[in-house]
Amino acid sequence: MTAQFTVQHTLGERIALAVEGAHRTEVLSYVYRPDPEPYESRKPYAHPVRTIGGRLVSGYRPNDHRWHKGLQMTASHLSEQNFWGGNSYIHGRGYQRVPERVGWMRHDGFPTVEAAGERVTVAEDLTWINNGGQEWARERRTLTAHSADPEAGTWALDWSIHLTNVRGEPLRFGSPTTAGREMAGYTGLQWRGPRDFTGARVLTPAGVGTDQGTMGTPAAEAPWLALTSAHDDVDAHSTLVFAHAPENLGPDAVHPSHWFVRAEPVPVVAFSWAFFEEFELPPGESFDYRYRVLVADGALDVADVERALARHRW
């Protein structure tokens, strides 16, 4: 049976979602008050993210990458600005600390917060601002939590982006790989896992794989990817499933997506929208992507993932 969500809004700071049942569990906190460090690219993020069983499945400001914050929308290379945070990869020079390249995202408001019991939808307006203070893009972001099933131990989060170029000249989206670093195509919606997920098992529709073997796989060949791992302080496993909406994979998609995935040395997944090639967004034009993250208690296998995704049609 599908469980109810409740919403708590701490004005000016965060929106928290909880699943109600025999045990109430806060499963997501969406923080829209920017963290104070500009070098980390101040922008909203989702953390902590938890399973219905209460297992933490997101990481925040780990000592290896302080700008990794749960689940967040990023752009590592955008017209020579960095909306990912931290060091910037520069062709021929490697990673460099270039604070003047780091942009940020301004929260402009929540036009929609709808809580209908079994489904919660939060729409947010944001502005992407370069380091010099120029407004480059307007974004309508929508997060929808749904399908909380305490018996199965699963709930789903849909995350969509509608982004419009307001700069007055083309915006060029790329990645460290398009700047010259091999197999480092991270950009787009990114998840950082807790240390429990270091060495996690990687699953795709093709079966059990490895992070190195899966890195750079076209989303058209693997529309979903999952990581499953044991936790440290409890006898429990959790699984995160990352899935593309069908329209991301069709001929109308703005640019083909590929998977960025690491289980070692740090657990990271990104729905990379510019892994191997840059793409341009002309002035005044927009693009859309839609993603799903399925959060599950237990160690799901490929068949389990396929069944869970089939229960939650787009």
Side-chain angles (χ1 to χ4, degrees):
M1 179 179 293
T2 304
Q4 303 284 306
F5 284 96
T6 57
V7 181
Q8 181 177 351
H9 188 180
T10 304
L11 194 63
E13 183 174 340
R14 69 184 65 218
I15 291 178
L17 307 183
V19 173
E20 300 294 334
H23 302 283
R24 180 181 183 276
T25 305
E26 184 179 294
V27 294
L28 181 140
S29 181
Y30 183 74
V31 181
Y32 61 94
R33 170 191 48 77
D35 286 351
E37 175 52 60
Y39 193 63
E40 296 173 9
S41 185
R42 295 169 296 166
K43 55 188 177 292
Y45 58 87
H47 174 82
V49 181
R50 295 187 178 92
T51 69
I52 291 178
R55 314 306 177 202
L56 181 67
V57 293
S58 62
Y60 173 75
R61 294 194 77 242
N63 59 34
D64 48 81
H65 297 81
R66 293 299 188 196
W67 48 94
H68 286 186
K69 297 171 183 178
L71 188 65
Q72 57 182 345
M73 184 59 67
T74 71
S76 57
H77 287 66
L78 176 54
S79 296
E80 299 187 352
Q81 287 280 290
N82 172 1
F83 289 84
W84 175 279
N87 294 344
S88 300
Y89 189 86
I90 301 174
H91 183 70
R93 296 170 57 194
Y95 284 105
Q96 302 287 318
R97 183 179 179 88
V98 191
E100 61 269 23
R101 283 195 176 214
V102 181
W104 64 292
M105 300 178 193
R106 184 185 68 210
H107 166 79
D108 293 331
F110 290 116
T112 302
V113 179
E114 294 180 348
E118 297 179 355
R119 192 177 189 91
V120 175
T121 298
V122 177
E124 180 184 24
D125 288 332
L126 304 100
T127 301
W128 295 37
I129 302 173
N130 81 341
N131 190 266
Q134 298 173 322
E135 296 185 356
W136 277 13
R138 298 263 164 76
E139 179 191 345
R140 170 63 59 87
R141 177 178 302 178
T142 305
L143 277 64
T144 301
H146 61 95
S147 305
D149 185 339
E151 183 176 344
T154 59
W155 70 277
L157 175 68
D158 292 353
W159 185 309
S160 68
I161 176 174
H162 176 82
L163 187 137
T164 302
N165 178 355
V166 298
R167 184 187 180 194
E169 58 184 277
L171 289 174
R172 301 188 317 278
F173 291 82
S175 69
T177 294
T178 67
R181 187 184 176 211
E182 291 186 2
M183 302 307 286
Y186 50 79
T187 195
L189 184 62
Q190 179 239 356
W191 165 84
R192 171 62 192 253
R195 300 219 176 259
D196 297 18
F197 272 74
T198 304
R201 186 173 61 159
V202 179
L203 309 175
T204 70
V208 179
T210 64
D211 54 358
Q212 292 184 350
T214 308
M215 180 71 83
T217 298
E221 296 179 9
W224 63 263
L225 177 150
L227 269 68
T228 183
S229 187
H231 291 282
D232 284 337
D233 61 344
V234 293
D235 295 325
H237 287 72
S238 295
T239 302
L240 272 292
V241 183
F242 307 91
H244 280 274
E247 65 267 22
N248 295 1
L249 313 176
D252 295 333
V254 64
H255 195 260
S257 296
H258 297 74
W259 290 108
F260 178 89
V261 54
R262 282 187 180 143
E264 299 276 3
V266 298
V268 180
V269 172
F271 296 83
S272 179
W273 53 30
F275 198 118
F276 297 106
E277 297 177 340
E278 286 190 345
F279 71 89
E280 285 193 353
L281 182 66
E285 294 197 11
S286 305
F287 69 69
D288 298 86
Y289 283 104
R290 193 160 56 111
Y291 309 104
R292 175 165 292 167
V293 180
L294 184 69
V295 182
D297 284 297
L300 274 59
D301 59 22
V302 173
D304 294 329
V305 172
E306 295 279 14
R307 282 193 293 268
L309 291 175
R311 287 198 299 271
H312 310 305
R313 296 291 184 184
W314 292 95

